[in-house]
Amino acid sequence: MSLKYQAIIEGDLYCNMAWSALIGSQESHQADSVQVEDPQDMPKISKPSVGPPTATVTRRAKSYSDFYVAARSQLRREAAEPGKIPLLTTGVAAVKTEVEFREWLGKLEEELLEATHGDYMIYHEQLIASQSHIDTMLENVSETITLLTSITESFESVQEQTSTFQDRSQDVLTEEQHTSRLADDINENLRFYDYLDPISRKLNAPGAGQLVREKEFAETLLNLDRCLKYMEAHPDHNESPTYRSRYRLLLTRALSLLRTQFLTSLREIASEVSKRITDRQLNDTTMSALLYGKFKVAAPELKRLGQEIQKRGAHPEEAGGPGAEYQNMLHELYQGYAATRGKLILPLVRKRIGEISMAPSTAKDLPAFARSSISYVRSICLDEHNLWKECFEGDERVYEFLESVCEPLYDYLRPRIMHETQLTKLCELCTLIQTRYTQDQEETAELNETGQLDFSVLIQPTLEDAQSRLVFRTQAIVQEEIANYRPKREDIDRFIQRHSAATSSNMRSDKASISSRKVSSTPMTPLPKTPIVVDRDDGYFDSGEATWSYDTDSFPDSWYPTLRKAIWLLSRIYRLVNSAVFDDLAHGIVHQTTTSLLQASSQVTSRASTIDGQLFLMKHLLILKSQIVAFDFEYVTPEVTFDFSNLTNTFWELRERGALFNPRNLLRLMGGGLLPRVVENMLDAKAELDGRLRTVINDFTNGFASRITADLTKTGVRKHASHAATEAVQSVRNAVKKEAVFLRKNLDNYLDDVRTKETLVVAIYEQVIQNYELFYEAFDNKRNVHGKAVSASDGGEEDEVWDPDTFADWAGEVFDIGKGQAYEAGEDGDGSRTISRAGSV
């Protein structure tokens, strides 16, 4: 319906456009005075030709205004064609209105339809004829398709029959292959059973041992392995267990022949070598050629025989199984080889070590003997290790054999080590073994990967013996020369006299020393001294290895003997024993040394003075503290135990008295008798040393400060009488002047480190000021209302009581506190020289 409406609309539009064109044409004709030809004057139309009309392209209007031009152009072209009648001009003159035009246009369309209808009818008849011809062709094609379908069905039937035949043939072929494979499997299975009789006859025949050297013997062993593997993989066969046991016996028989041949070859070579060594005297070169050359020639054959047993006994099965039996055979090879080589090597090694022990240079020198004997045994072990690798695969049991080679070395060294009393010799022995013959974990892993000899495993027993003896001798020396050291009276007097002489010398140079303190800020020889650890080559080791040592020559004679001995012991055993053992020894040495210094300090105090005893102890504790830093030993946890002896003894005592259940006795004994005592077997020596040092410093500073301010605590001063206080302050000022010089001289006499001395001076100075502040505070609270405190700025008299700030400034100048600050500024880069004090009254 939409197309129909569209056609109607287009027709109306066309009519309107045509009408407009017509009106415009008439006007144009009138304007141009063009007359329309009479239809009678037009040429007659010829009869149309048969066939479709000639196709023409009509010019289409581009716009509404262009429609008139397009219509006139089309009329001229139709008028020019022969046989054509310009239909649009017929009766145009009679058209006056739009209605008339519509009627005229309808008639014109009917005329056009009738004029063109004949051509289309002819064309329609031609189409009917073509359709008839095509229908005939379709019938022929249908017949052809039917024939081809029949042929296709025939071919499909043939194909189906062929496929059925092919399937039946494939089944027959598969059955044939299965039968053939079954026959092959049967033959293959029977082959593992057929090996039994030929191999049994071969291995049990007379002279079967000669078959071992033939190449076919290895193939026989492989066949036995295959047969055993097959029997183990098919236990469901009827006679599989029987054949497996018989094959196992045959394999054991074959490996026994290998073992016998291996050991026989070794004995033959050893017998020949031993006979030649016994018959004549041989030099070292010939001896080495006999001991190793003969065996190296036979080594490939021996290794081939041993590998056959080794690869079957490398992974033993459960105990008592065949794998364990083969492992035992392999161990018999190792034992036979070790016994054969031991008979040849051990007498020579023992003889050579005996000669070394009797040599003049090594007869009484343990390190020299150890160096020569260990070097010789190491060369023997290297040669034996290389020969072992040529005869066997791997290093299993090689170190057991080499340990037996080292037995003569152990037998000679162990008694000498146990009877050695010189600690230096034991230290040299440990150093020799550790520097030359021991490796760290990385080196040991590298040696194991490359298959080289790790001699540290063999020398480890000797090192342990030396370290055990070293620890024992160290403990003995600590007990004898430190813990039980009792200085003679003249030794203490000599020590006191040495310091007294130094004091006198210092007194003669008092002015120079005081002036030098204000100018020079360079410290003297530092105290505590920094421990000196050096690497030295003392010429003992031929290879020139540098060994860790301690510069014991730097120990001054002014050190107390037990302190020198303690530092010497620590320097000797450091890095020569296990770290845990060294920590234990170091704590014991430091503890005993501290105790010895305390005892010596008491003797110095009794022979000289308390200050001398305190400075003596302080000096040596500072030295000890500084020296043990180099050894870096760790804290040992104290072993805390409970002593129940008192508890047991108390119960037995109460039981004997018959007063076990007496409440009074129980209450009396609860204070200690019934309680166990806590016993600490080891204290932290470093903590003990720090505590002792802290105590002696506090005692020294407090005692010296109390000595200076002693007059402030007298009875008259306590009552705060004015004249008594003035006299006490004057006495204290005099004491400060006197004791400051005395303090400096004593510190210079005992201590060398400037910072340590200045720290002590400042501590005493601050304690003196603190005592004076306490005195002044009490004095200020009860003094007379008219009393007046005097300061330096007030210009007061010296015999009056000074306030704490004035006293502190004056005492600082007397104690020469600025010198210590100048030294610290030189060390720290701080320019301050003033000691600030706060809180003074």
Side-chain angles (χ1 to χ4, degrees):
M1 295 298 290
S2 60
L3 294 177
K4 182 178 179 181
Y5 292 148
Q6 183 178 2
I8 294 172
I9 294 171
E10 289 179 355
D12 292 339
L13 180 61
Y14 176 74
C15 291
N16 294 329
M17 293 174 64
W19 172 252
S20 299
L22 182 59
I23 297 301
S25 176
Q26 291 178 356
E27 293 175 355
S28 175
H29 278 259
Q30 292 175 3
D32 296 338
S33 299
V34 178
Q35 294 181 357
V36 181
E37 295 181 355
D38 189 0
Q40 296 179 358
D41 296 334
M42 292 182 183
K44 295 183 180 179
I45 300 173
S46 60
K47 185 178 181 180
S49 60
V50 180
T54 303
T56 59
V57 180
T58 304
R59 180 176 179 273
R60 301 183 65 180
K62 296 180 180 180
S63 62
Y64 181 80
S65 61
D66 190 47
F67 180 78
Y68 172 73
V69 178
R72 293 187 63 185
S73 176
Q74 179 64 24
L75 290 175
R76 291 192 189 98
R77 185 165 48 252
E78 291 178 355
E81 291 181 359
K84 287 287 186 176
I85 299 176
L87 299 178
L88 292 176
T89 59
T90 304
V92 175
V95 176
K96 299 296 182 178
T97 63
E98 184 178 353
V99 177
E100 293 176 353
F101 175 77
R102 287 182 178 277
E103 292 177 357
W104 172 80
L105 183 61
K107 293 179 181 181
L108 180 61
E109 289 177 354
E110 291 177 358
E111 291 177 359
L112 290 175
L113 181 60
E114 291 176 357
T116 58
H117 187 264
D119 295 337
Y120 286 103
M121 291 300 293
I122 296 172
Y123 184 71
H124 180 261
E125 292 176 357
Q126 292 176 354
L127 289 177
I128 293 174
S130 298
Q131 182 179 5
S132 176
H133 176 69
I134 291 172
D135 291 340
T136 304
M137 291 179 63
L138 288 176
E139 292 177 358
N140 295 333
V141 170
S142 298
E143 293 177 358
T144 304
I145 292 174
T146 302
L147 180 59
L148 291 175
T149 302
S150 176
I151 295 173
T152 302
E153 292 176 354
S154 300
F155 275 108
E156 290 177 353
S157 177
V158 172
Q159 182 180 5
E160 183 179 356
Q161 294 175 3
T162 303
S163 299
T164 303
F165 177 76
Q166 183 179 1
D167 294 339
R168 292 179 181 179
S169 300
Q170 186 67 33
D171 293 340
V172 173
L173 181 60
T174 302
E175 185 177 358
E176 180 184 2
Q177 292 175 352
H178 175 70
T179 304
S180 176
R181 186 167 54 253
L182 183 60
D184 293 339
D185 291 342
I186 293 174
N187 292 332
E188 181 68 20
N189 293 334
L190 291 177
R191 182 171 64 88
F192 293 104
Y193 290 91
D194 293 339
Y195 281 127
L196 181 62
D197 292 337
I199 295 178
S200 297
R201 288 193 298 268
K202 183 184 294 185
L203 295 179
N204 294 319
Q210 301 299 325
L211 298 175
V212 175
R213 297 181 179 273
E214 299 178 359
K215 296 182 179 180
E216 290 78 5
F217 192 79
E219 185 65 25
T220 301
L221 292 176
L222 290 177
N223 290 333
L224 287 173
D225 291 336
R226 295 191 190 102
C227 293
L228 282 171
K229 186 177 181 180
Y230 177 81
M231 297 303 169
E232 292 173 356
H234 301 83
D236 54 340
H237 289 190
N238 289 334
E239 298 184 3
S240 175
T242 303
Y243 274 82
R244 182 174 60 182
S245 60
R246 296 184 65 180
Y247 279 130
R248 183 71 67 186
L249 292 175
L250 291 176
L251 181 59
T252 303
R253 169 64 178 169
L255 296 181
S256 299
L257 293 176
L258 287 174
R259 177 193 57 190
T260 303
Q261 181 62 34
F262 184 94
L263 298 178
T264 302
S265 300
L266 277 178
R267 285 194 292 267
E268 291 176 355
I269 300 173
S271 178
E272 181 181 357
V273 172
S274 179
K275 183 178 179 181
R276 295 188 62 180
I277 293 176
T278 306
D279 291 344
R280 65 187 71 178
Q281 290 294 112
L282 303 176
N283 56 25
D284 294 340
T285 305
T286 308
M287 185 75 69
S288 177
L290 283 175
L291 289 175
Y292 296 100
K294 289 285 186 180
F295 284 89
K296 288 183 179 180
V297 172
E301 180 65 20
L302 295 176
K303 188 173 185 179
R304 184 184 65 83
L305 298 177
Q307 281 179 342
E308 297 295 340
I309 300 177
Q310 188 175 10
K311 65 185 180 181
R312 291 170 178 81
H315 304 286
E317 300 173 3
E318 65 279 0
E325 182 180 359
Y326 303 150
Q327 186 72 17
N328 292 334
M329 288 186 182
L330 182 61
H331 292 169
E332 290 179 9
L333 295 186
Y334 295 150
Q335 293 173 1
Y337 177 87
T340 303
R341 292 296 300 174
K343 290 179 182 179
L344 295 175
I345 297 297
L346 287 178
L348 301 178
V349 174
R350 196 176 299 276
K351 179 182 177 182
R352 178 58 180 163
I353 294 180
E355 294 174 354
I356 295 174
S357 65
M358 299 301 295
S361 60
T362 59
K364 296 183 179 180
D365 191 351
L366 175 62
F369 170 73
R371 179 187 58 182
S372 300
S373 59
I374 293 175
S375 178
Y376 170 72
V377 171
R378 183 175 181 272
S379 64
I380 295 296
C381 290
L382 287 174
D383 295 336
E384 291 298 325
H385 184 265
N386 294 333
L387 183 59
W388 179 284
K389 291 182 64 177
E390 294 185 11
C391 296
F392 295 102
E393 186 71 25
D395 293 339
E396 184 181 3
R397 296 294 185 93
V398 64
Y399 285 99
E400 294 181 9
F401 164 62
L402 295 179
E403 286 178 359
S404 64
V405 175
C406 295
E407 282 297 332
L409 176 65
Y410 302 152
D411 295 340
Y412 274 89
L413 270 178
R414 187 172 287 111
R416 287 198 171 200
I417 292 173
M418 293 297 105
H419 291 86
E420 182 61 54
T421 58
Q422 297 185 24
L423 188 71
T424 55
K425 300 293 184 182
L426 295 172
C427 293
E428 290 178 3
L429 177 59
C430 293
T431 303
L432 169 67
I433 296 175
Q434 289 180 344
T435 55
R436 279 194 173 186
Y437 304 115
T438 58
Q439 291 84 23
D440 54 18
Q441 295 182 355
E442 295 181 358
E443 294 175 345
T444 301
E446 183 178 357
L447 291 176
N448 294 333
E449 292 177 358
T450 57
Q452 300 180 13
L453 174 64
D454 185 8
F455 189 70
S456 61
V457 177
L458 303 175
I459 202 63
Q460 185 64 28
T462 302
L463 178 60
E464 292 176 356
D465 292 341
Q467 289 175 338
S468 299
R469 181 62 179 173
L470 178 62
V471 172
F472 175 78
R473 286 301 306 156
T474 301
Q475 293 174 342
I477 293 174
V478 171
Q479 190 65 28
E480 295 172 3
E481 302 186 23
I482 296 180
N484 297 333
Y485 177 77
R486 296 294 182 267
K488 297 180 181 179
R489 183 173 182 178
E490 51 269 20
D491 296 337
I492 299 296
D493 292 339
R494 190 181 304 109
F495 180 84
I496 296 174
Q497 292 174 3
R498 184 185 301 114
H499 287 281
S500 298
T503 304
S504 300
S505 176
N506 290 336
M507 290 177 65
R508 287 193 297 270
S509 59
D510 179 37
K511 295 182 179 180
S513 63
I514 294 177
S515 62
S516 64
R517 293 191 194 103
K518 299 181 180 179
V519 177
S520 175
S521 62
T522 303
M524 301 172 61
T525 303
L527 182 67
K529 291 184 178 180
T530 302
I532 304 173
V533 180
V534 296
D535 287 336
R536 64 178 180 87
D537 184 7
D538 56 6
Y540 175 75
F541 303 110
D542 292 340
S543 59
E545 295 97 340
T547 58
W548 190 94
S549 183
Y550 202 85
D551 189 8
T552 55
D553 295 336
S554 63
F555 298 165
D557 295 336
S558 60
W559 289 10
Y560 194 63
T562 57
L563 176 62
R564 290 201 304 270
K565 182 62 66 175
I567 302 302
W568 180 81
L569 281 175
L570 291 174
S571 65
R572 298 302 298 179
I573 67 175
Y574 185 52
R575 296 183 181 176
L576 296 183
V577 295
N578 182 270
S579 60
V581 177
F582 176 79
D583 292 344
D584 190 13
L585 288 175
H587 279 277
I589 292 173
V590 174
H591 172 71
Q592 294 296 341
T593 304
T594 304
T595 304
S596 175
L597 292 176
L598 287 173
Q599 296 173 358
S601 174
S602 300
Q603 296 184 19
V604 172
T605 300
S606 63
R607 300 292 299 170
S609 64
T610 302
I611 294 178
D612 289 327
Q614 292 173 343
L615 288 175
F616 168 85
L617 181 60
M618 189 188 309
K619 169 185 176 180
H620 286 82
L621 291 180
L622 287 173
I623 294 173
L624 180 60
K625 180 178 177 62
S626 65
Q627 295 297 318
I628 64 176
V629 173
F631 306 108
D632 191 26
F633 57 89
E634 300 295 335
Y635 167 66
V636 178
T637 304
E639 181 182 354
V640 181
T641 58
F642 294 94
D643 185 7
F644 291 92
S645 58
N646 293 338
L647 179 62
T648 306
N649 295 335
T650 301
F651 271 106
W652 281 105
E653 182 181 358
L654 293 177
R655 182 180 178 183
E656 291 178 358
R657 294 179 180 179
L660 180 60
F661 298 100
N662 188 344
R664 180 179 300 176
N665 293 332
L666 293 178
L667 292 175
R668 178 174 57 85
L669 295 176
M670 281 298 292
L674 293 179
L675 298 179
R677 292 187 297 107
V678 179
V679 181
E680 289 188 356
N681 296 332
M682 172 57 74
L683 295 175
D684 182 7
K686 289 184 178 181
E688 180 186 10
L689 176 60
D690 293 339
R692 295 291 185 184
L693 185 59
R694 190 181 305 108
T695 300
V696 68
I697 291 176
N698 291 334
D699 292 344
F700 175 75
T701 55
N702 294 333
F704 211 94
S706 299
R707 176 179 175 177
I708 294 175
T709 59
D711 292 339
L712 298 179
T713 59
K714 291 182 179 180
T715 306
V717 178
R718 291 177 182 175
K719 294 180 179 180
H720 306 292
S722 177
H723 67 279
T726 303
E727 293 177 357
V729 170
Q730 183 64 34
S731 176
V732 168
R733 289 201 298 267
N734 295 333
V736 168
K737 296 177 181 179
K738 178 181 178 181
E739 297 298 336
V741 177
F742 179 74
L743 173 63
R744 287 285 184 182
K745 288 181 173 57
N746 279 276
L747 292 179
D748 292 339
N749 182 28
Y750 282 93
L751 304 178
D752 295 330
D753 184 59
V754 176
R755 176 171 294 180
T756 303
K757 292 187 290 186
E758 293 305 319
T759 301
L760 292 174
V761 171
V762 170
I764 294 174
Y765 162 77
E766 291 180 350
Q767 187 63 38
V768 169
I769 300 304
Q770 183 178 0
N771 294 343
Y772 189 85
E773 287 177 349
L774 295 176
F775 157 76
Y776 187 81
E777 182 179 0
F779 175 77
D780 186 63
N781 291 333
K782 295 186 178 182
R783 65 183 174 175
N784 196 310
V785 177
H786 302 286
K788 180 181 179 182
V790 180
S791 62
S793 59
D794 296 334
E797 300 294 334
E798 293 186 358
D799 57 352
E800 295 182 358
V801 178
W802 289 353
D803 64 272
D805 290 337
T806 303
F807 182 80
D809 295 338
W810 174 84
E813 295 179 358
V814 175
F815 278 103
D816 197 9
I817 301 302
K819 187 260 181 181
Q821 295 296 319
Y823 172 72
E824 293 180 0
E827 291 291 330
D828 302 332
D830 186 6
S832 177
R833 295 291 189 274
T834 305
I835 298 178
S836 61
R837 300 182 67 257
S840 300
V841 179

